[in-house]
Amino acid sequence: MKITQFITLFLLSSFLGLNTLSAQSQLIEKVEGNPEKLILNYEKWKLPNGLTLIIHEDHSDPIVSVVVTYHVGSAREEIGKSGFAHFFEHMMFEGSTNVGDKEHFRIVNEAGGDMNGNTERDRTNYYENVPSNYLETALWLEADRMGFLLDSVTKAKFEIQRATVKNEKAQNVENQPYAMAFVEVLNQILYPSGHPYSWPVIGYVDDLNRVTVDDLKSFFLRWYGPNNAVLSIAGDVNSKEVVALVEKYFGSIKPCPDVPRMKVSVPILATNQYANYVDNVYFPMTIMTYPTVPQYHRDEPAIDLLGDMIGSGNNSLIYKNFIKSEKAIQASAYHESSELAGELQVIVATYPEFEYSEISKGFNETEKQILATFDEFEKAGITDEALQRAKTARETQTIDMITSVDGKAYMFATWQTFLNKPYNFSDEMDRYNKVTKEDIIRVFNKYIKGKSAAIVNVYPKDPMSNSKDSVKSVNPYANVKIAANPEMTNLKYDRPVDNFDRSKQPAPASPKTPVVPNYYSKTFDNGLKIIGTQATEAPKVVMIFSLRGGKYVFNFEDKKTGLAELTSAMMNEGTEKSTTEEISAKLEKLGSEIYFYTEGDKTNIRLTSLSKNIDATLAILEEKLLHPGFIEADFKRTKKAALEGLMHEKKVAEAIADKLFDNILYGNTVHGSYASEKTMKKLSLDDVKNYYKEYYSPKVCNLVVVSDIPENELVPKLDFLKKWSGKDVSLQPFTAFVDIPKTQIYLAHKDDAAQSVISIGHGGLPYDATGEYFKSKVANFPLGGAFNSRLNLNLREAKGYTYGIRSAFQGTEYPGPFFVYASVKLSATDSSITEIMKELNNYTSSGISTEELAFTKNSILNNEALKYETPEQKASFLSQILRYNLSKDFTQTQSSILKEMSKSDADAIIKKNIHPDKMIILVVGNRYMLKDKLEKLGYGKVKEVDLD
Amino acid sequence: MRKAILIIILFLPLLAIGQSNNVQSAANALGYYEKGTSADPKDFELENAKKYIDLSAENESTANNAKMWYYRAKIYQALHNNKRLKTLDAYASEKAVISFINCLKTDSKKMYSDECKSLVWLAGINVYDDAIQFAQKNEFNTAMRYYNLLFEVFPLDADDNLKRNNITPELVEKSIAYTALKANDPATAKANFQKLIDKNFNDPKIYVNMAKISLEEKDTAAAIKYVEKGKAIFEDNTTLITLEMNIYLAQGKTDVLINKLSESIESNPDNELLFFNRGMMYESKKNFDSAAVDYRKALEINPDHLDANYNLGVMYFNEAASMANAANSLKNNDEFAKAKEKFDKKFKDAAPYLEEALRVNNQKTEDEQMMYTATLNSLKQLYVRTGEMEKYAKIKALLEK
């Protein structure tokens, strides 16, 4: 492009004097809130070093969320240097000049908060949610790692985190069915070579192996400056105080080099691009992706709604053509945009109905059917009702975001980073509300109809193949010569200069009393127990019904495990007077959800609704709960999905581990049973009807209600539930755990296991709120209940064996296990077991340390402030009270117990309830590589087990 | 003579048997080769197989024999796939495909047809890959021959295996078009680009290429037609937008271009390039006010637009410089003071845009490097004018560097 250049010389004029830079932050925007219109209050400030600060005040709970978003993700990386942004995210938790190694976790945990980071294509976020009296601590921590990180980056820490990142990839990508197709294969064909989205956020292993400490330091210096960051704070804060604290801690940090805006780069696919990928999966899967528009493009909302209408929910054509027709177990469509490009994706996991040699024909069929679905969508046209349903779903999602301070802080950070203009939740709603039917048709024609897509066909492994190899990641840039990037050279660290002593961790302010919800309770004559509270932060209703029963209503010999799940699946289908699609349409129109599911000994019904639509939603609940349809065609489809789902679970290491561990622990009792193809095949629709009749009873049902509607208005709306009648239900008693005379290793084989899943444990205690179970949970905290627990610091941080390890006591009304759980590097399976047992032995013999006890107390006591914020959290709290018949002040009793607990108390509990010499050690992994090594650990011959 | 004839007559069947023995020998040799392992690859068997099958192919009695074609296909396929023996025949993949096709044509008893159909697409992939290699080595005729061969394979691929390996008729037509361009054969290039246009092939480059070929043929009207067709589908494509601009500029039709850009802006109001281009056209007509509006609009959409920042900054700078030069000739102090106030303000208007142009310039191209130096020079003079000596010093240091 020719640019005209005009340069004119002229004579110097008089000297006018120097300008001075302002040292003060500038208020850029201030918005007063109007919650009814979804306008939330905020102030936007800019510091002289370029840091953008956004403050939203919310005094409903004594908590604060501090979010730092850096406008750098994998898209800023280069070929040959993939995974840097995510790797660096890990390094940001390894300490800085004034914050010791692992101290970040410890300080936040001890404050009772939670924290994490996550790296995406376009951004990296770090957050802390803490009691509001710890705001200054959180700011001190974030500022220290923004301005004072580099000197703490050592080779040792670097190597451990390199191993951890590789473990994370092995656990979350290589060892997960289908993950590689989404994370790597799809992007390689959708985006052209060299496109920033063509490599995975987590990176390629060879790039991770090649990176040096200096590479990462350069990455930090280039991108991690205040001028490339947004600090977003939401919660119980005062904005004037916040500005002063931010200026104090962040003001001296020097900016990084200027960060240009990324250039939007939407790929153009001239023809369909295919990739055929073999994975250790059961269902063949087609992933068809159309390139669309970047986020906040004027067409984005219309394409979002288009994706929802075509492929979300039981009224979509994708559901009808694939799931209802029993061609697929899962099928959906969805649109999502990132900063540089967007993707409308159709995913279909079909039942494996072709012979392996003919499987390509199956993929051809699926592709044709997807295209036929688009044709059908076009011919059918768009109704006002369908469009309104899609918009209502988006409205519900937007309202959900404002129920938590971290949701709000995150969204303000997002808008500032990518839009950099005044924006609020009302604007977000508006851009969807403005979409017309004509817009939907226009974007369909422009981006989908007749356009090319990237199509990944995920093949199950050939059953005739003898290959024992793990799923492979292939770096297409492996042989590319990497030229030095001048942007990343000659970067110098300019240490900030303070006028205060930053090395001192700030003391917290005086704690504020957590706002424990007030609640009301009632019991209807039919036995239904209700507990509820009013929560005014959002115009929303959350109701959770819990029916006690599950599989525990049966004897083991009845062989009916799986029936409870099948029944709850059928309760999600049609009713006596409405089909599944009709019911779904009614719910979608309201933006409501009613969902039945079974977990353990509970069948739950989760209802959510916008408050304005609660009456209509409850009418649908009445229809579903009291008049289920139990249609034969629905049953046939649901049972098929359940059966095929069991086949799929045989490929999922975590599912295998869960089932087998319980089976070994509880033996051949109903507690240890799991659904199998054999038992599932025998279940009939009559069984389902019978289960409903016998066990869906108000006599065993607890209902929790959280809503902005006051009690006197809400409870009368529940009167219809008085019509619900049912029998007494008795559950199988618990008899005993299987006796484990001495620690024994069990091994279950999984093909192509990239990692081993380890479950170690034995029988434990039933739940109690203030007795031995509670004290055991407290005592477990430093062992495996926190990030900086002994187990995690050893196996993840010191040895790099795992991405994460935890231990827990897990009891309900029934005694549950004590267990340790981790997914570890295949080659470190035996070493991991050695280390775990070493920690368990150590802990039981030496007990808790004084520092650990103090940390545990602080952590648990302070955490109470965070427990009552969202409707879901309030519901969880009330559910516990009702379920276990607790007093309102049980948390105060817990606090007293905790404060008084001594080291000897804790040690006694540990010795009494953790027995390393009588453990089940279950390993799910590659038996060919593991068996011999495991037998050398000194626990005798390994017992091989499997699900069949 | 009768004896000789008898001998010949007796001998002829033996000859035929001899040739079919060659086919069988080739088949046997192939079988032994396929049993080889990485430790013991038995390459010599494949060489033998080639020798026997070549003999069979040359001989009339077996030249049109389905079995011969079948084994010839498999042998040449194996030859192509063998890294050590590939150099024995540079056209192995072509011979494999032709053999599969001929086998299907001659296999009246359908003994080999199923297997041929299941393998011909694999051979087709090899042909496509080789065509690319030939084109890269400038062996254009061979490349074209290979590409065209694929059109005989597509109809035989009932399960769409070629498509699922990303080889489609459209891709081949595109490859032919680009190879033809490289081979200086615009007629073939045009013919194939046109096929793609007729099929609504989703690639803006085919329109760009057709426009460029038309310009080389001095057919500006056709060039404009292709650009407009391309822009109707790819309204954001910068190459098409720039090409259109250059065509009209070359014709001196600035007003027409301004109208075209205004039409494009109406349907595509988020495209900063359109505003920037129109701004440049206004500036070239000395309509500085309209130019400034458009440059600012471009910057509203993309604050990091280097050219818009630079052009707007320079436009204001030059305006200020002209005003300063004019003021220098004023004798009256009051008049000079008033004029100074105005041109000082104009310099200050220029400053943020020039500063931004400096900030976002990555200096990746020669043009950008030149622009960077020019921006530094302008800012140096500007800071002297506005008295920002600290900034002046920094700019001076950068210039000296």
Side-chain angles (χ1 to χ4, degrees):
Chain A
M1 182 166 328
K2 197 178 169 201
I3 314 293
T4 49
Q5 298 180 22
F6 306 98
I7 301 169
T8 309
L9 289 169
F10 67 102
L11 295 169
L12 289 170
S13 75
S14 57
F15 177 82
L16 290 174
L18 294 170
N19 287 334
T20 51
L21 288 171
S22 166
Q24 294 296 315
S25 307
Q26 252 192 312
L27 176 62
I28 311 287
E29 279 157 41
K30 185 178 165 108
V31 171
E32 299 295 332
N34 186 340
E36 276 176 36
K37 292 190 176 169
L38 288 184
I39 298 173
L40 268 60
N41 74 74
Y42 72 89
E43 290 181 10
K44 174 176 159 182
W45 294 77
K46 194 92 165 177
L47 272 65
N49 60 9
L51 179 68
T52 305
L53 167 64
I54 306 210
I55 308 166
H56 161 69
E57 291 192 25
D58 172 357
H59 301 283
S60 53
D61 291 281
I63 58 177
V64 62
S65 181
V66 174
V67 175
V68 181
T69 297
Y70 293 91
H71 195 172
V72 55
S74 63
R76 298 267 190 201
E77 295 163 358
E78 309 158 50
I79 291 174
K81 301 190 175 188
S82 64
F84 275 33
H86 173 251
F87 194 156
F88 205 85
E89 181 218 310
H90 276 246
M91 296 308 298
M92 287 280 271
F93 290 93
E94 295 302 294
S96 42
T97 301
N98 302 297
V99 179
D101 189 12
K102 313 290 179 285
E103 281 292 289
H104 194 119
F105 291 106
R106 189 195 63 74
I107 291 169
V108 173
N109 278 340
E110 193 164 11
D114 61 74
M115 96 256 93
N116 211 332
N118 76 296
T119 309
E120 301 167 13
R121 285 166 163 175
D122 309 313
R123 68 197 284 183
T124 307
N125 287 328
Y126 301 89
Y127 72 85
E128 291 80 19
N129 298 323
V130 290
S132 52
N133 60 315
Y134 280 91
L135 169 66
E136 188 172 359
T137 307
L139 292 174
W140 171 74
L141 287 168
E142 284 299 342
D144 213 65
R145 60 183 175 181
M146 183 188 281
F148 298 87
L149 184 89
L150 283 188
D151 292 341
S152 302
V153 175
T154 64
K155 192 143 194 324
K157 288 185 198 173
F158 170 83
E159 290 302 338
I160 289 294
Q161 289 311 312
R162 193 203 313 256
T164 305
V165 166
K166 284 158 65 175
N167 274 331
E168 185 181 346
K169 181 165 188 175
Q171 179 183 316
N172 290 345
V173 180
E174 291 164 10
N175 212 30
Q176 294 301 328
Y178 307 107
M180 192 68 80
F182 285 96
V183 168
E184 289 192 11
V185 179
L186 171 64
N187 295 326
Q188 286 168 9
I189 58 168
L190 176 59
Y191 296 99
S193 177
H195 190 288
Y197 288 173
S198 66
W199 53 79
V201 173
I202 202 159
Y204 294 111
V205 171
D206 55 341
D207 288 348
L208 293 171
N209 283 339
R210 204 175 23 239
V211 64
T212 66
V213 177
D214 288 337
D215 286 333
L216 275 201
K217 285 185 177 180
S218 297
F219 191 84
F220 176 84
L221 286 168
R222 177 62 188 92
W223 302 113
Y224 272 74
N227 51 318
N228 196 32
V230 174
L231 171 58
S232 176
I233 297 172
D236 178 32
V237 296
N238 172 285
S239 60
K240 206 166 154 193
E241 286 168 15
V242 170
V243 173
L245 285 172
V246 169
E247 281 178 342
K248 176 183 176 184
Y249 287 107
F250 290 86
S252 60
I253 300 174
K254 306 288 164 64
C256 62
D258 282 324
V259 175
R261 224 169 85 151
M262 295 287 287
K263 282 195 179 129
V264 163
S265 179
V266 178
I268 296 175
L269 297 179
T271 53
N272 286 342
Q273 292 299 303
Y274 291 88
N276 306 305
Y277 183 74
V278 179
D279 198 349
N280 188 16
V281 298
Y282 178 69
F283 302 109
M285 179 181 275
T286 296
I287 308 166
M288 188 186 266
T289 308
Y290 291 85
T292 59
V293 299
Q295 64 192 34
Y296 303 111
H297 187 276
R298 64 185 179 283
D299 288 339
E300 186 198 4
I303 311 175
D304 281 348
L305 295 175
L306 170 67
D308 294 345
M309 289 165 75
I310 287 183
S312 176
N314 295 345
N315 281 283
S316 68
L317 289 175
I318 290 281
Y319 171 85
K320 173 177 88 63
N321 290 341
F322 287 100
I323 299 181
K324 185 149 185 196
S325 65
E326 296 185 36
K327 292 193 171 77
I329 186 163
Q330 178 198 321
S332 60
Y334 185 72
H335 178 250
E336 188 167 13
S337 290
S338 304
E339 189 176 8
L340 307 186
E343 300 170 13
L344 188 141
Q345 202 162 79
V346 181
I347 303 169
V348 180
T350 53
Y351 291 118
E353 278 161 2
F354 283 87
E355 289 292 328
Y356 194 81
S357 57
E358 304 264 276
I359 213 166
S360 300
K361 283 193 178 144
F363 283 121
N364 287 345
E365 281 301 311
T366 301
E367 187 183 327
K368 280 189 190 130
Q369 189 115 31
I370 292 172
L371 296 175
T373 303
F374 289 144
D375 287 341
E376 194 181 339
F377 174 80
E378 188 185 13
K379 285 193 185 89
I382 298 162
T383 62
D384 289 325
E385 200 204 311
L387 181 57
Q388 189 51 52
R389 285 202 310 263
K391 287 182 181 180
T392 306
R394 292 277 163 175
E395 181 187 357
T396 310
Q397 282 170 30
T398 305
I399 285 172
D400 277 343
M401 282 187 243
I402 64 172
T403 60
S404 68
V405 291
D406 64 0
K408 290 187 278 190
Y410 178 85
M411 287 316 299
F412 279 121
T414 301
W415 295 326
Q416 175 55 38
T417 301
F418 298 114
L419 281 175
N420 193 17
K421 65 178 190 184
Y423 204 79
N424 215 307
F425 288 87
S426 53
D427 299 300
E428 187 65 9
M429 291 281 297
D430 272 347
R431 69 186 189 119
Y432 287 97
N433 286 336
K434 281 181 189 153
V435 173
T436 63
K437 288 189 294 191
E438 290 70 32
D439 289 328
I440 304 282
I441 294 166
R442 179 179 56 76
V443 301
F444 174 75
N445 287 332
K446 188 170 178 185
Y447 301 103
I448 309 300
K449 181 180 170 182
K451 298 292 182 284
S452 303
I455 303 174
V456 179
N457 293 322
V458 185
Y459 287 70
K461 272 181 60 179
D462 185 344
M464 304 304 286
S465 161
N466 284 331
S467 164
K468 296 185 182 66
D469 288 338
S470 294
V471 162
K472 289 240 184 307
S473 162
V474 176
N475 181 353
Y477 305 114
N479 297 321
V480 171
K481 281 207 172 77
I482 304 157
N485 181 354
E487 263 193 345
M488 303 298 277
T489 54
N490 299 324
L491 293 164
K492 287 200 172 45
Y493 175 44
D494 196 352
R495 175 180 288 279
V497 174
D498 292 319
N499 56 9
F500 68 98
D501 183 1
R502 196 184 279 262
S503 67
K504 288 191 169 45
Q505 177 182 335
S510 307
K512 293 187 183 174
T513 313
V515 181
V516 180
N518 278 321
Y519 60 85
Y520 52 86
S521 57
K522 298 206 171 324
T523 304
F524 284 171
D525 290 342
N526 58 5
L528 176 68
K529 296 193 176 90
I530 302 171
I531 189 168
T533 187
Q534 188 180 9
T536 54
E537 294 95 336
K540 191 178 161 175
V541 180
V542 175
M543 287 187 186
I544 302 175
F545 294 77
S546 293
L547 290 95
R548 193 143 184 256
K551 65 181 178 181
Y552 296 91
V553 300
F554 299 117
N555 288 318
F556 176 74
E557 290 73 26
D558 292 334
K559 303 262 187 251
K560 296 276 191 213
T561 301
L563 179 55
E565 287 81 357
L566 201 54
T567 306
S568 54
M570 283 299 292
M571 294 297 286
N572 288 320
E573 297 288 337
T575 63
E576 284 170 6
K577 53 179 188 166
S578 306
T579 63
T580 307
E581 291 78 11
E582 283 165 351
I583 283 277
S584 293
K586 286 187 208 173
L587 286 169
E588 284 168 22
K589 195 171 162 186
L590 301 168
S592 302
E593 183 195 42
I594 299 174
Y595 185 65
F596 291 72
Y597 62 100
T598 299
E599 248 176 9
D601 64 339
K602 295 277 182 302
T603 290
N604 297 319
I605 310 166
R606 181 184 152 85
L607 180 151
T608 59
S609 171
L610 298 170
S611 304
K612 63 185 179 186
N613 295 331
I614 188 58
D615 290 334
T617 306
L618 288 175
I620 299 171
L621 174 67
E622 181 178 355
E623 197 184 328
K624 284 177 78 69
L625 178 61
L626 302 184
H627 306 283
F630 296 140
I631 309 292
E632 181 65 47
D634 291 341
F635 177 72
K636 182 169 161 279
R637 176 172 29 82
T638 305
K639 183 173 167 179
K640 179 178 178 179
L643 269 165
E644 300 284 328
L646 289 174
M647 297 303 293
H648 163 72
E649 281 184 356
K650 288 182 175 177
K651 307 279 184 187
V652 182
E654 289 83 356
I656 298 169
D658 282 348
K659 290 180 180 181
L660 286 175
F661 186 84
D662 279 355
N663 185 253
I664 298 166
L665 181 68
Y666 293 101
N668 288 337
T669 64
V670 71
H671 299 267
S673 66
Y674 51 84
S676 67
E677 294 145 77
K678 236 197 257 180
T679 56
M680 189 65 78
K681 271 184 185 148
K682 290 183 183 161
L683 296 176
S684 68
L685 183 56
D686 282 340
D687 287 327
V688 166
K689 288 178 183 174
N690 205 49
Y691 189 93
Y692 170 80
K693 191 172 124 200
E694 295 294 317
Y695 306 117
Y696 271 59
S697 169
K699 291 186 162 66
V700 288
C701 186
N702 293 342
L703 167 60
V704 176
V705 182
V706 179
S707 168
D708 64 331
I709 303 172
E711 176 192 355
N712 61 332
E713 287 175 33
L714 183 69
V715 171
K717 295 178 193 291
L718 303 175
D719 278 352
F720 72 94
L721 290 168
K722 292 175 180 170
K723 291 186 272 186
W724 183 17
S725 64
K727 305 176 181 181
D728 288 315
V729 174
S730 51
L731 274 62
Q732 295 298 312
F734 172 76
T735 47
F737 294 107
V738 166
D739 180 46
I740 304 164
K742 61 177 186 146
T743 298
Q744 168 67 51
I745 298 181
Y746 298 83
L747 175 60
H749 176 66
K750 179 184 176 279
D751 274 342
D752 288 347
Q755 294 225 306
S756 301
V757 171
I758 299 177
S759 300
I760 297 180
H762 55 56
L765 300 162
Y767 174 89
D768 65 54
T770 53
E772 198 168 318
Y773 177 82
F774 169 68
K775 291 172 189 168
S776 299
K777 281 182 82 76
V778 171
N780 171 67
F781 193 79
L783 172 65
F787 183 89
N788 53 323
S789 64
R790 290 189 185 198
L791 285 166
N792 209 41
L793 288 177
N794 181 346
L795 274 88
R796 172 180 156 139
E797 295 296 303
K799 305 276 189 322
Y801 290 164
T802 179
Y803 178 52
I805 178 169
R806 61 187 172 96
S807 66
F809 282 90
Q810 203 174 55
T812 61
E813 290 86 342
Y814 290 123
F818 165 77
F819 66 90
V820 179
Y821 183 91
S823 182
V824 304
K825 257 182 355 193
L826 181 60
S827 58
T829 307
D830 52 342
S831 310
S832 297
I833 292 171
T834 302
E835 291 302 317
I836 292 169
M837 297 311 290
K838 186 176 97 185
E839 291 294 346
L840 289 171
N841 281 310
N842 232 348
Y843 201 56
T844 50
S845 60
S846 317
I848 197 171
S849 71
T850 325
E851 295 77 19
E852 283 173 333
L853 184 58
F855 166 78
T856 300
K857 289 182 181 186
N858 288 336
S859 195
I860 296 175
L861 289 167
N862 288 329
N863 182 248
E864 200 188 349
L866 274 69
K867 280 191 174 163
Y868 311 115
E869 188 198 3
T870 65
E872 283 75 11
Q873 282 177 305
K874 290 179 170 76
S876 173
F877 169 68
L878 296 181
S879 170
Q880 253 192 313
I881 288 180
L882 191 57
R883 180 176 181 179
Y884 296 110
N885 198 22
L886 303 176
S887 64
K888 183 180 175 179
D889 61 355
F890 82 92
T891 54
Q892 284 177 29
T893 311
Q894 287 182 329
S895 297
S896 302
I897 294 170
L898 196 49
K899 283 173 188 164
E900 285 162 25
M901 188 183 277
S902 66
K903 173 176 156 56
S904 56
D905 293 334
D907 290 349
I909 287 279
I910 292 163
K911 269 198 164 51
K912 188 177 174 197
N913 293 317
I914 299 177
H915 309 286
D917 56 334
K918 294 183 180 183
M919 295 249 171
I920 298 163
I921 300 177
L922 170 65
V923 178
V924 178
N926 187 327
R927 71 172 295 283
Y928 302 102
M929 298 180 68
L930 293 174
K931 188 170 179 214
D932 289 343
K933 286 185 181 176
L934 295 177
E935 286 186 343
K936 289 182 180 141
L937 287 176
Y939 298 105
K941 272 201 92 53
V942 160
K943 288 188 182 172
E944 293 202 56
V945 291
D946 64 51
L947 287 178
D948 296 325
Chain B
M1 181 58 110
R2 264 178 63 189
K3 191 174 175 186
I5 290 168
L6 186 61
I7 289 166
I8 288 164
I9 288 168
L10 285 173
F11 196 60
L12 269 173
L14 285 173
L15 280 174
I17 290 167
Q19 289 310 316
S20 85
N21 278 344
N22 276 337
V23 174
Q24 192 53 49
S25 298
N28 292 343
L30 179 66
Y32 296 135
Y33 167 73
E34 283 169 350
K35 288 190 173 113
T37 61
S38 49
D40 180 19
K42 297 196 192 310
D43 285 352
F44 67 95
E45 295 287 3
L46 186 57
E47 289 180 83
N48 282 341
K50 177 185 182 307
K51 183 181 80 187
Y52 287 124
I53 208 69
D54 283 347
L55 285 169
S56 313
E58 283 156 17
N59 191 285
E60 216 180 287
S61 61
T62 50
N64 248 337
N65 179 298
K67 182 176 177 182
M68 190 287 294
W69 285 122
Y70 171 72
Y71 281 108
R72 188 171 187 262
K74 292 192 73 172
I75 287 163
Y76 273 95
Q77 179 87 319
L79 210 57
H80 176 274
N81 293 341
N82 185 317
K83 287 186 184 127
R84 296 172 295 280
L85 295 181
K86 209 167 171 171
T87 48
L88 274 188
D89 194 322
Y91 306 108
S93 61
E94 182 186 25
K95 286 177 180 168
V97 165
I98 290 172
S99 300
F100 277 123
I101 291 170
N102 286 339
C103 178
L104 286 165
K105 282 180 183 163
T106 54
D107 184 23
S108 52
K109 291 183 184 161
K110 304 291 176 213
M111 285 177 63
Y112 307 104
S113 292
D114 281 348
E115 202 181 334
C116 281
K117 281 181 194 165
S118 73
L119 292 174
V120 68
W121 65 273
L122 281 165
I125 292 177
N126 293 337
V127 161
Y128 180 76
D129 291 342
D130 284 350
I132 294 174
Q133 298 296 321
F134 284 123
Q136 281 173 353
K137 289 188 287 192
N138 294 344
E139 291 179 47
F140 299 124
N141 289 338
T142 311
M144 291 298 198
R145 193 177 76 228
Y146 269 52
Y147 284 132
N148 282 305
L149 181 57
L150 285 164
F151 291 110
E152 294 186 53
V153 180
F154 287 125
L156 303 173
D157 178 24
D159 288 339
D160 283 340
N161 286 303
L162 281 170
K163 181 181 88 166
R164 290 151 55 68
N165 280 278
N166 298 313
I167 298 173
T168 60
E170 291 77 23
L171 180 70
V172 176
E173 281 157 0
K174 186 172 116 166
S175 302
I176 290 173
Y178 280 110
T179 305
L181 277 180
K182 234 180 137 188
N184 224 2
D185 177 5
T188 305
K190 269 181 80 169
N192 281 275
F193 281 134
Q194 189 58 53
K195 282 184 196 170
L196 293 168
I197 289 173
D198 293 341
K199 289 181 189 180
N200 294 321
F201 192 67
N202 194 43
D203 184 353
K205 292 198 203 96
I206 55 176
Y207 298 93
V208 171
N209 279 305
M210 283 295 259
K212 285 183 175 172
I213 293 171
S214 301
L215 287 172
E216 274 160 24
E217 291 173 351
K218 311 273 185 249
D219 187 351
T220 313
I224 289 172
K225 185 186 88 182
Y226 285 116
V227 165
E228 284 176 354
K229 258 191 165 169
K231 276 181 62 191
I233 306 166
F234 307 101
E235 55 189 18
D236 284 331
N237 186 269
T238 52
T239 313
L240 285 167
I241 292 169
T242 306
L243 188 53
E244 180 185 54
M245 188 180 77
N246 288 338
I247 291 173
Y248 282 113
L249 277 177
Q251 294 184 316
K253 292 183 179 174
T254 318
D255 287 336
V256 173
L257 183 55
I258 287 176
N259 287 338
K260 286 229 166 268
L261 287 168
S262 301
E263 278 168 20
S264 297
I265 284 170
E266 252 195 61
S267 55
N268 198 1
D270 292 337
N271 189 321
E272 69 259 30
L273 181 60
L274 295 173
F275 283 106
F276 172 73
N277 285 353
R278 195 172 66 175
M280 279 211 302
M281 294 306 106
Y282 280 133
E283 193 178 351
S284 72
K285 288 166 67 74
K286 303 207 187 311
N287 183 345
F288 297 122
D289 288 341
S290 297
V293 166
D294 274 352
Y295 287 147
R296 276 201 293 273
K297 187 67 194 175
L299 290 172
E300 210 180 285
I301 296 166
N302 178 10
D304 290 353
H305 195 292
L306 169 59
D307 299 329
N309 273 304
Y310 181 78
N311 277 24
L312 187 56
V314 165
M315 205 172 74
Y316 285 147
F317 180 93
N318 285 338
E319 222 182 304
S322 295
M323 288 160 75
N325 278 343
N328 280 341
S329 59
L330 290 173
K331 305 265 189 285
N332 183 305
N333 283 346
D334 285 341
E335 282 173 16
F336 179 82
K338 281 184 188 156
K340 184 173 181 308
E341 205 183 311
K342 286 187 180 159
F343 67 65
D344 275 350
K345 183 183 174 308
K346 199 52 85 169
F347 277 122
K348 285 199 169 121
D349 286 346
Y353 297 108
L354 289 172
E355 285 164 358
E356 195 64 7
L358 199 72
R359 186 185 76 77
V360 303
N361 191 336
N362 292 326
Q363 304 182 72
K364 284 201 168 125
T365 65
E366 211 178 298
D367 261 357
E368 284 175 358
Q369 286 160 15
M370 281 172 56
M371 194 191 298
Y372 190 81
T373 310
T375 312
L376 284 174
N377 276 316
S378 299
L379 280 169
K380 189 177 110 179
Q381 294 169 62
L382 189 150
Y383 289 140
V384 165
R385 170 58 58 189
T386 57
E388 293 170 280
M389 298 317 290
E390 207 176 291
K391 287 185 180 179
Y392 167 81
K394 281 185 183 156
I395 296 294
K396 190 159 172 268
L398 281 171
L399 267 169
E400 281 159 8
K401 205 170 148 189

